[in-house]
Amino acid sequence: VSPSASPSLPPTAASTAQPSATPLPPWDGKQRLNILLVGVDQRPKEATFNTDTLMVVSIDPTTDRVAMFTLPRDMVDVPVPAGPANNVRNVFGSVYRGKINSWYVNNVNRSDLWPGSASTRGFTALKAILGELYGLDIRYYVEVNFDGFRQVVDALGGVTINVQMPVTDDAYPGDNGPIRVYTPSGPQHMTGSQALVYARSRHGSNDFDRGARQQRVLLSLREQTDIAAVLPKLDSLISAMTRAVHTDIPVSDLPKLLSLAEQVHIQQVRSYIFAPPYYGTENANSSRGYIIGPNVSRIRAAVTGAFTVDPAVEQTREAIAQE
């Protein structure tokens, strides 16, 4: 999926609040900042879970540009990082044979491979393997489960999303079994629960379309949120979301990161979904089930050139591959 921008939409309640008098401290970093966003299907009473949404947000502070990279959950044979322990490749090989959404659960208890506690070790492993694939130093992670996603959206007053194609799902996983859900096209103001349905639904389309919708939700939230108005409420927001949102971002760095988010050019965000056929090859009947084998060189080239390549050129490449 080629780079795309979020359309202008009516502001949410959070963005119409009066600006805070508290100035935002400037972001003092000069290097490209990379943050891993992890969405998990964390069910009650289940200790483990797959990481079905893996998105890296990359920010260039010198140009105020942003790129978003989403890796399909069924990607296999992703290059394994060398460290921090030298025996990671001895355990898994040069590439990870499992689907990438299972890398977390297969590393979270490996204290022999990764430093940190049980609550952070799996995310350290995720940052390492995606950093190896993309050629990036991924500094932070943010993990959100379904409840956390709903809380974030509701805390910001909901979100208005320009739904490009209707979303119909006759087997959406409800609390008491599959249900039918429908999101019409056009600008739709959504609560946290409605935005979760829009971002999570996949039976009426596919994982690649779902990845694009998830990116659209995040871009719409950023575009409609008045960050200066959020800053005075930051402590209460953090307290309310502690159980559903986990991160290794120091609390002391949050105001500076909000400042960086405020200055980026939202209309110039480059958005990538590393889907086949250009970025990988599908195999529906492999011994490992449905899988996608990555075209590592094309993925790395896209990440490296995200801020310099002409989006029209990238669109042409993908169109030719599709044909």
Side-chain angles (χ1 to χ4, degrees), residues 34-38 119-121 123-124 126-127 138-143 246-249:
N34 307 295
I35 301 174
L36 170 63
L37 306 183
V38 183
S119 63
T120 62
R121 195 178 299 122
F123 298 109
T124 300
L126 273 174
K127 289 193 292 185
I138 300 178
R139 186 169 179 179
Y140 299 126
Y141 80 86
V142 178
E143 179 259 312
H246 302 106
T247 181
D248 58 351
I249 299 175

Side-chain angles (χ1 to χ4, degrees), residues 307-318:
F307 296 127
T308 57
V309 71
D310 183 346
V313 172
E314 193 70 16
Q315 287 179 334
T316 300
R317 288 174 180 167
E318 293 186 26

